[in-house]
């Protein structure tokens, strides 16, 4: 049976895969497992729950709150808030547990449930597995005053925005930015934080009714942001995803600045300030080889992990590293956040522009991206793809062909029924040709 938890919580079609009943059971299971592990220190636990504006968020957050309260947990409902905002509240208030209702960059019919432990960090795999193992178990239910309470969390948005702006060392006055909020959780907090920091802000994708979340806007659809930046003559555009844990950018001409380039910019900033621990930037296997080559020129080492900001964070915590993230725009700045935070990333990217007087394009040119081809191969056996001898032979042949001029990566998706084939090479033509060849082998060898 497939694991219920993926690389970023439990995710699927709302009221299909992700039901109210499942939300209740997951919440009860989380309370029981964390209690058994001693995470509540023997005291009455407190949880904070938040959501993005998807239509299904109302009933799923209500189910999560109900499940937690039935297990004796006092719940504060923060309502609409970005995922990193929830993580911040859990960390800053000493709450024992956080639950975010969001499917991140997925379309609005999907939804998901992800848990945060005390300190605002995502649960490790083994704890998620323990929660999953306890679904449907019989348990002794508290009664009377032993059941939990459910109350609104007043002032959540202001507390989070104040935190974001407080991380900056200078005003952003003089910079004009277009913010694309993906019709998601950043629709209020994103523009508010940027404007309070001093920037002139134009906003798109700020509908918060939920039915249009990630629909043709946000970090997965940069076209509207590119157009808006050129229309307003802005210095930069920033795009968040549905729950605002990602940030991508476009320069004044509308050209894309991806997560690798953003991480390179911010890592150099920290190094110059003497705040880049062991001169290390932590990335995933999906980061472009060009980032590694560029950072090497500046004396910065790249640590590498599997895909998922949780694994980046684990590596950062092990080594005490200052910054890490993903090409997709998840960036973790350890001094200020416990998880990827798109709004925090945007603010510090603009601060770097303000401090240096350089354009976003000048800053992004710190690295030269190697041409990259990515093919999502659908309707295949993901498990077999990683062990099939024919697939392995094809990958080895491609690696010999590329030598040190590129690389090959085959990775089963953690959230979708897809195998991703990625190739980097000296030219677009070479990268595409090798990727197509490998994708064909995958389909032929492990197709369903």
């Amino acid at each position: 049976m497939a694991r219920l938890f993926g690389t970023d919580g439990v995710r699927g079609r709302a009221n299909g895969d992700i039901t109210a009943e499942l939300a209740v059971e997951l919440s009860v299971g989380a309370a029981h497992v964390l209690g058994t592990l001693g995470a509540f220190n023997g005291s009455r636990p407190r949880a904070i729950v938040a959501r993005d504006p998807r239509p299904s968020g109302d009933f799923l957050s209500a189910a999560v709150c109900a499940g937690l309260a039935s297990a004796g947990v006092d719940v504060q409902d923060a309502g609409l808030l970005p995922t990193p905002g929830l993580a911040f509240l859990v960390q800053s208030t000493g709450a024992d547990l956080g639950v975010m209702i969001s499917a991140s960059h997925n379309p609005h019919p999907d939804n998901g449930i992800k848990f945060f432990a005390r300190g605002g960090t995502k649960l490790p795999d083994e704890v998620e597995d323990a929660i999953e193992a306890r679904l449907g178990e019989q348990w002794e239910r508290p009664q009377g005053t032993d059941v939990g309470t459910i109350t609104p969390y007043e002032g959540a948005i202001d507390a989070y925005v104040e935190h974001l702006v407080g991380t900056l060392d200078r005003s952003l006055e003089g910079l004009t930015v277009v913010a694309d909020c993906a019709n998601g959780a950043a629709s209020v907090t994103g523009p508010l934080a940027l404007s309070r920091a001093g920037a002139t802000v134009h906003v798109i994708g700020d509908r918060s009714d939920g039915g249009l979340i990630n629909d043709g806007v946000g970090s997965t659809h940069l076209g509207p942001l590119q157009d808006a930046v050129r229309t307003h003559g802005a210095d930069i555009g920033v795009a968040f995803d549905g729950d605002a844990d990602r940030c991508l950018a476009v320069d004044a001409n509308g050209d894309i600045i991806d997560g690798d380039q953003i991480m390179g910019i911010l890592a150099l900033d920290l190094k110059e300030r003497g705040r880049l621990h062991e001169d290390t930037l932590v990335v995933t296997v999906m980061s472009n080889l060009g980032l590694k080559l560029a950072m090497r020129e500046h004396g910065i080492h790249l640590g590498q992990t599997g895909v998922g900001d949780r694994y980046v964070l684990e590596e950062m915590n092990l080594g005490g590293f200052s910054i890490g993230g993903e090409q997709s725009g998840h960036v973790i700045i350890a001094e200020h956040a416990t998880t990827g935070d798109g709004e925090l990333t945007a603010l510090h990217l603009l601060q770097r522009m303000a401090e240096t007087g350089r354009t976003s394009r000048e800053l992004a040119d710190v690295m030269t991206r190697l041409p990259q081809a990515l093919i999502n191969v659908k309707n295949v056996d993901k498990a077999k793809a990683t062990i099939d001898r024919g697939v392995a032979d094809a990958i080895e042949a491609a690696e010999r062909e590329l030598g040190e001029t590129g690389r090959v990566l085959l990775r089963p998706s953690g959230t979708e029924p897809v195998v991703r084939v990625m190739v980097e090479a000296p030219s677009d033509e070479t990268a595409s040709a090798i990727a197509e060849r490998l994708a064909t082998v995958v389909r032929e060898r492990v197709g369903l």
Side-chain angles (χ1 to χ4, degrees):
M1 183 177 296
R3 186 174 185 264
L4 183 62
F5 282 88
T7 54
D8 199 19
V10 179
R11 192 179 299 182
R13 187 57 56 100
N15 227 18
D17 306 307
I18 309 298
T19 63
E21 293 85 351
L22 178 61
V24 170
E25 286 200 36
L26 284 169
S27 303
V28 170
H32 289 168
V33 168
L34 291 173
T36 300
L37 294 174
F40 300 150
N41 296 322
S43 60
R44 188 181 180 99
R46 178 170 61 89
I48 304 174
V49 176
R51 63 182 178 87
D52 72 22
R54 294 165 201 272
S56 57
D58 282 332
F59 81 79
L60 287 174
S61 61
V64 166
C65 290
L68 291 171
S70 74
V73 179
D74 289 334
V75 183
Q76 291 179 286
D77 186 354
L80 295 177
L81 197 70
T83 291
L86 171 71
F88 163 72
L89 292 179
V90 172
Q91 187 273 331
S92 63
T93 66
D96 302 287
L97 176 64
V99 189
M100 183 70 194
I101 313 301
S102 173
S104 191
H105 60 281
N106 286 30
H108 86 265
D110 291 351
N111 217 326
I113 302 170
K114 44 191 169 185
F115 295 94
F116 290 84
R118 178 191 289 270
T121 59
K122 293 180 180 178
L123 302 184
D125 287 345
E126 58 270 21
V127 176
E128 291 182 339
D129 289 340
I131 293 171
E132 187 171 338
R134 297 181 72 163
L135 295 182
E137 71 174 358
Q138 296 297 312
W139 55 287
E140 186 176 345
R141 300 168 184 269
Q143 297 182 351
T145 57
D146 290 333
V147 301
T149 60
I150 303 174
T151 57
Y153 192 117
E154 304 290 350
I157 287 176
D158 282 339
Y160 176 50
V161 170
E162 182 179 352
H163 156 68
L164 289 172
V165 177
T167 67
L168 299 177
D169 296 324
R170 60 165 298 152
S171 168
L172 303 182
E173 188 174 356
L175 290 175
T176 299
V177 57
V178 177
D180 182 346
C181 301
N183 294 323
S187 295
V188 174
T189 56
L192 191 57
L194 288 163
S195 60
R196 285 188 184 176
T200 298
V201 186
H202 301 281
V203 187
I204 63 174
D206 60 340
R207 291 185 56 172
S208 58
D209 57 11
L212 294 175
I213 192 169
N214 300 316
D215 187 2
V217 290
S219 63
T220 52
H221 302 88
L222 294 174
L225 179 63
Q226 293 169 308
D227 292 341
V229 165
R230 289 188 286 258
T231 296
H232 292 288
D235 299 296
I236 189 173
V238 294
F240 311 118
D241 63 337
D243 68 338
D245 61 356
R246 298 186 187 192
C247 173
L248 295 179
V250 301
D251 66 17
N253 293 321
D255 294 325
I256 296 172
I257 300 173
D258 72 7
D260 284 342
Q261 293 166 306
I262 292 171
M263 286 189 290
I265 293 167
L266 297 183
L268 284 176
D269 180 36
L270 289 171
K271 182 176 172 63
E272 290 180 11
R273 296 166 180 260
R275 289 155 65 176
L276 185 65
H277 183 63
E278 294 190 8
D279 290 336
T280 296
L281 166 64
V282 181
V283 301
T284 77
V285 293
M286 293 299 289
S287 277
N288 192 278
L289 183 59
L291 176 61
K292 180 177 182 178
L293 299 177
M295 293 297 96
R296 181 188 297 168
E297 291 181 7
H298 291 85
I300 295 175
H301 170 72
L302 255 61
Q304 196 171 77
T305 76
V307 174
D309 65 336
R310 59 188 295 173
Y311 305 119
V312 172
L313 182 60
E314 286 175 6
E315 181 68 16
M316 290 173 64
N317 288 339
L318 283 173
F321 300 126
S322 311
I323 186 170
E326 300 185 278
Q327 186 185 73
S328 59
H330 285 118
V331 178
I332 305 168
I333 305 174
E335 183 179 354
H336 305 301
T338 61
T339 190
D341 190 328
E343 293 166 67
L344 180 71
T345 299
L347 288 166
H348 283 257
L349 179 58
L350 267 70
Q351 178 174 252
R352 181 66 170 168
M353 294 171 62
E355 286 181 335
T356 61
R358 299 170 68 188
T359 67
S360 57
R361 176 47 49 192
E362 289 171 333
L363 293 172
D365 283 344
V366 65
M367 68 167 280
T368 300
R369 289 179 49 81
L370 267 68
Q372 189 178 79
L374 176 64
I375 299 176
N376 293 325
V377 187
K378 302 179 181 179
N379 300 317
V380 295
D381 188 322
K382 294 194 297 182
K384 284 186 179 179
T386 59
I387 60 175
D388 181 81
R389 186 66 254 174
V391 173
D393 288 343
I395 292 173
E396 290 171 8
E399 289 175 336
R400 287 193 299 271
E401 180 179 344
L402 289 168
E404 295 185 356
T405 65
R407 66 186 182 111
V408 174
L409 178 68
L410 183 144
R411 183 182 71 86
S413 170
T415 58
E416 301 174 82
V418 165
V419 169
R420 306 192 197 284
V421 176
M422 189 271 284
V423 176
E424 289 172 348
S427 69
D428 288 314
E429 293 77 11
T430 300
S432 296
I434 294 176
E436 289 286 357
R437 189 167 75 227
L438 290 174
T440 298
V441 172
V442 171
R443 292 187 191 100
E444 291 176 348
R445 296 286 302 185
V446 297
L448 298 177

